[in-house]
C-alpha cells in the first residue's frame, strides 16, 4: 500500500537521517566500550546545572495560588514578564523598547517559527550565512519559505557582498546568529552597522522592508570579556529572538522571547501577526510558570567561566594535535577544518577513536566538523590522544 504520510516529511526524515545514524553509532559505541570510554561532543545540550537563583524563583512561582494563575492569558505573555524582557532588550539593543514590543515564546525555536509565519508568503526567501543551525531550513519551510545560504568570511564573520548578491525581489529576511552555532563567531559592531545600511538601501530597491532577524540564544555565553554588540540599534526593521535555554541551562522548559524594533515600519501589524501566530501554531502562549520564573532572573546566567576553561583546554588539544580552527568567542562549540575533504568520513575516523562529533555538512558547510563542549573537562582531556591519532591517520 502507498504511504499515507506526508512525502515532504518523509524526505525531511531522510535528509535528517545522518543525525540519527550518528546517534545510533554513538549509542553502539557506548554499549560496546562503556559510557565512560566514549567522548561525546555531538550534542549542544547544556550540562551545567541551572543557577541557584533559578531554583528559588521556580519555588516562589510554583507556590503562587489564586484565580487565573494557571489560566489562559494574552497570547503575547504575562504583562510582568513582558515588562522585564523589554527592560533587558532596551539595554542590550540600545532602543527604547516597551512591553508592547515583546512576546514570550516557546524558546528561540518557537520565536523563529512565529517570525517566519508572520513574514513569509509562499516561495519567499530567507538569507542565512553559512554555517548555520541545522533546523533553520525546516523552520523556514514550515511557513512556505525558502532558506538561501550564503558564504561567510574566512573567520566566519559576515560576507556583506555575498549577502548583497543574494538579495532579490523575493527576499523577505536575513537571519543571523551571533554568537554563532556552530562557529563560535561574534559579529562585530561595524559589520552589523554595514549590514543595517545595506538592508536599508536594498529594501528601497525591492520596494518592501527586508527584515533582519537576529537569533541570539548564546548572547550571554561569551569569553575573554567579549561584548555582543546591539542588533536592533543598527536597523529599524529588525527583530530579535532568543531563549533562556543556554544561559540558564533550561532547554527542556521551552521559554524565550521575541522583540520587535519599536520603530519597525509595520510594527503594529507585525506584533499582531506574531501574537496570532503564537496562538495558532499551537503554542497558544509560552508556559505560564516559566514566564514568571524568568521574569525573576533576567540578569542571571550560568557560570560562563566553566565554559571558558573547557574552551581553553579544547583549544590546547586541537592546537597541539595540529588542527586548524578559529577560536570561538562565544557559544560552546568549536568548528575546526576537517583534515579530509569528506567531513563525514573524518567524523567516522574520530568515531574509531571513540570521539563523537558532527560533520560540517549538517550546518551547510562541508569540510568542517563541530564539537560541543557541554561535557566535563575530564572528558575533553580524555580525547587528547584520540584527536591526535585521528589526524595522523589522515596523513
Ligand atoms: C542557533 C540556535 N538557534 C535556536 C536554537 C533553539 O533554541 P531553543 O531550544 O531555546 O528553542 C538553538 C538550539 O540549540 C540554536 O543553537
Amino acid at each position: 500500500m502507498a504511504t499515507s504520510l506526508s512525502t515532504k516529511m518523509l524526505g525531511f526524515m531522510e535528509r535528517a537521517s545522518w543525525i540519527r545514524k550518528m546517534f545510533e553509532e554513538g549509542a553502539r559505541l557506548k554499549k560496546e566500550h562503556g559510557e565512560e570510554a566514549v567522548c561525546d561532543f555531538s550534542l549542544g545540550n547544556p550540562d551545567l546545572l541551572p543557577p541557584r537563583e533559578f531554583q528559588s524563583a521556580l519555588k516562589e512561582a510554583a507556590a503562587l495560588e489564586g484565580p487565573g494563575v494557571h489560566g489562559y492569558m494574552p497570547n503575547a505573555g504575562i504583562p510582568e514578564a513582558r515588562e522585564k524582557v523589554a527592560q533587558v532588550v532596551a539595554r542590550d539593543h540600545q532602543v527604547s523598547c516597551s512591553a508592547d514590543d515583546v512576546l514570550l515564546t516557546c524558546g528561540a525555536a518557537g520565536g523563529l517559527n512565529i517570525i517566519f509565519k508572520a513574514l513569509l508568503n509562499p516561495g519567499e526567501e530567507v538569507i542565512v550565512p553559512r554555517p548555520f543551525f541545522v533546523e533553520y531550513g525546516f523552520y523556514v519551510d514550515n511557513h512556505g519559505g525558502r532558506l538561501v545560504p550564503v558564504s561567510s568570511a574566512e573567520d566566519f564573520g559576515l560576507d556583506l557582498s555575498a549577502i548583497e548578491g543574494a538579495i532579490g525581489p523575493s527576499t523577505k529576511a536575513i537571519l543571523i546568529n551571533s554568537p554563532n552555532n556552530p562557529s563560535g563567531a561574534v559579529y562585530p559592531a561595524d559589520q552589523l552597522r554595514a549590514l543595517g545600511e545595506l538592508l536599508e538601501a536594498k529594501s528601497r530597491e525591492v520596494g518592501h522592508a527586508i527584515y533582519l532577524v537576529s537569533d541570539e540564544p548564546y548572547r550571554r555565553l561569551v569569553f575573554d570579556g567579549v561584548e555582543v554588540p546591539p542588533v536592533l540599534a543598527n536597523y529599524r526593521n529588525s527583530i530579535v529572538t532568543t531563549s533562556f535555554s543556554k544561559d540558564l541551562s533550561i532547554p527542556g522548559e521551552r521559554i524565550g522571547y521575541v522583540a520587535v524594533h519599536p520603530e519597525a515600519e509595520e510594527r503594529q501589524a507585525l506584533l499582531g501577526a506574531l501574537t496570532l501566530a503564537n496562538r495558532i501554531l499551537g503554542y497558544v502562549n509560552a508556559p505560564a510558570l516559566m514566564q514568571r520564573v524568568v521574569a525573576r532572573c533576567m540578569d542571571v546566567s550560568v557560570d560562563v567561566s566553566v565554559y571558558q576553561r573547557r574552551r581553553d583546554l579544547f583549544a590546547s588539544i586541537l592546537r597541539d594535535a595540529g588542527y586548524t580552527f578559529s577560536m570561538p568567542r562565544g557559544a560552546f562549540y568549536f568548528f575546526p577544518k576537517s583534515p579530509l575533504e569528506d567531513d563525514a568520513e573524518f567524523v567516522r575516523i574520530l568515531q574509531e577513536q571513540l570521539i563523537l562529533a558532527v560533520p560540517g555538512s549538517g550546518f551547510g558547510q562541508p569540510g568542517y566538523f563541530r564539537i560541543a563542549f557541554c561535557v566535563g573537562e575530564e572528558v575533553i582531556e580524555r580525547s587528547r590522544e584520540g584527536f591526535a591519532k585521528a589526524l595522523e591517520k589522515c596523513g
Side-chain angles (χ1 to χ4, degrees), residues 287-338:
L289 179 70
M290 278 304 135
Q291 291 194 44
R292 294 199 178 90
V293 174
V294 296
R296 287 168 166 81
C297 26
M298 272 302 153
D299 269 321
V300 178
S301 92
V302 292
D303 181 359
V304 179
S305 71
V306 177
Y307 286 127
Q308 175 150 346
R309 276 202 307 278
R310 293 172 180 179
R311 180 204 65 160
D312 293 345
L313 175 60
F314 235 140
S316 78
I317 290 172
L318 295 171
R319 203 178 294 120
D320 292 351
Y323 288 88
T324 307
F325 62 93
S326 300
M327 192 68 156
R329 302 171 74 219
F332 37 53
Y333 311 99
F334 276 87
F335 198 57
K337 274 212 162 98
S338 162

Side-chain angles (χ1 to χ4, degrees), residues 55-315:
Q55 299 294 354
S56 28
L58 179 58
K59 281 183 195 140
E60 242 178 73
L64 271 185
E65 286 178 32
V69 168
H70 302 289
Y72 285 121
M73 66 178 77
N75 301 120
I78 297 173
E80 176 207 356
R82 294 174 75 192
E83 186 59 52
K84 288 279 165 50
V85 167
Q87 286 166 12
V88 168
V89 172
R91 185 196 61 198
D92 288 354
H93 287 277
Q94 295 166 22
V95 288
S96 56
C97 185
S98 77
D100 292 343
D101 302 308
V102 161
L103 297 89
L104 276 292
T105 61
C106 291
L112 289 166
N113 272 282
I114 65 170
I115 291 169
F116 296 138
K117 177 89 176 164
L119 292 182
L120 296 175
N121 291 306
E124 287 182 337
E125 296 174 353
V126 176
I127 296 171
V128 66
R130 297 188 165 95
F132 56 87
F133 178 50
V134 65
E135 312 274 286
Y136 287 165
F138 298 123
Y139 299 163
V140 169
D141 177 272
N142 284 346
H143 310 290
R146 203 167 74 81
L147 192 71
V148 178
V150 296
S151 58
S152 291
E154 187 66 21
D155 64 356
F156 298 119
L158 291 173
D159 179 344
L160 288 170
S161 54
I163 294 174
E164 183 172 3
I167 294 176
S170 303
T171 307
K172 214 29 140 4
I174 314 291
L175 171 57
I176 58 170
N177 165 225
S178 164
N180 185 268
N181 171 11
S183 75
V186 174
Y187 301 145
D190 59 338
Q191 288 185 8
L192 294 173
R193 248 191 320 273
L195 178 62
E197 283 162 16
L198 173 67
L199 295 184
E200 198 71 63
K202 284 287 177 183
S203 295
R204 273 198 301 275
E205 204 177 298
V206 298
H208 63 255
I210 299 174
Y211 271 88
L212 174 60
V213 179
S214 176
D215 174 32
E216 41 191 60
Y218 302 95
R219 176 172 275 273
R220 302 246 178 100
L221 300 190
V222 283
F223 311 123
D224 305 323
V226 162
E227 288 205 9
V228 182
V231 173
L232 296 184
N234 290 296
Y235 181 55
R236 67 189 175 125
N237 290 317
S238 50
I239 310 173
V240 160
T241 186
T242 187
S243 74
F244 298 87
S245 298
K246 318 290 173 171
D247 48 19
L248 291 181
S249 264
I250 53 165
E253 301 297 351
R254 312 308 307 138
I255 183 76
Y257 62 82
V258 165
V260 171
H261 193 296
E263 287 157 30
E265 232 159 85
E266 295 173 275
R267 170 181 175 274
Q268 210 52 49
L270 174 58
L271 284 162
L274 291 166
T275 308
L276 183 60
N278 218 19
R279 173 186 184 134
I280 65 178
L281 284 174
Y283 304 122
V284 183
N285 53 251
L289 179 70
M290 278 304 135
Q291 291 194 44
R292 294 199 178 90
V293 174
V294 296
R296 287 168 166 81
C297 26
M298 272 302 153
D299 269 321
V300 178
S301 92
V302 292
D303 181 359
V304 179
S305 71
V306 177
Y307 286 127
Q308 175 150 346
R309 276 202 307 278
R310 293 172 180 179
R311 180 204 65 160
D312 293 345
L313 175 60
F314 235 140

Side-chain angles (χ1 to χ4, degrees), residues 349-392:
I349 291 176
L350 283 174
Q351 282 176 354
E352 287 170 15
Q353 301 300 324
L354 304 184
I355 293 172
L356 306 183
V358 186
S361 311
F363 304 92
Q365 183 93 34
Y368 290 79
F369 62 102
R370 188 193 80 170
I371 41 189
F373 43 98
C374 302
V375 293
E377 284 181 54
E378 68 291 350
V379 182
I380 298 171
E381 187 55 57
R382 199 158 8 95
S383 70
R384 186 179 283 275
E385 203 180 314
F387 272 110
K389 280 194 178 152
L391 193 56
E392 271 166 33

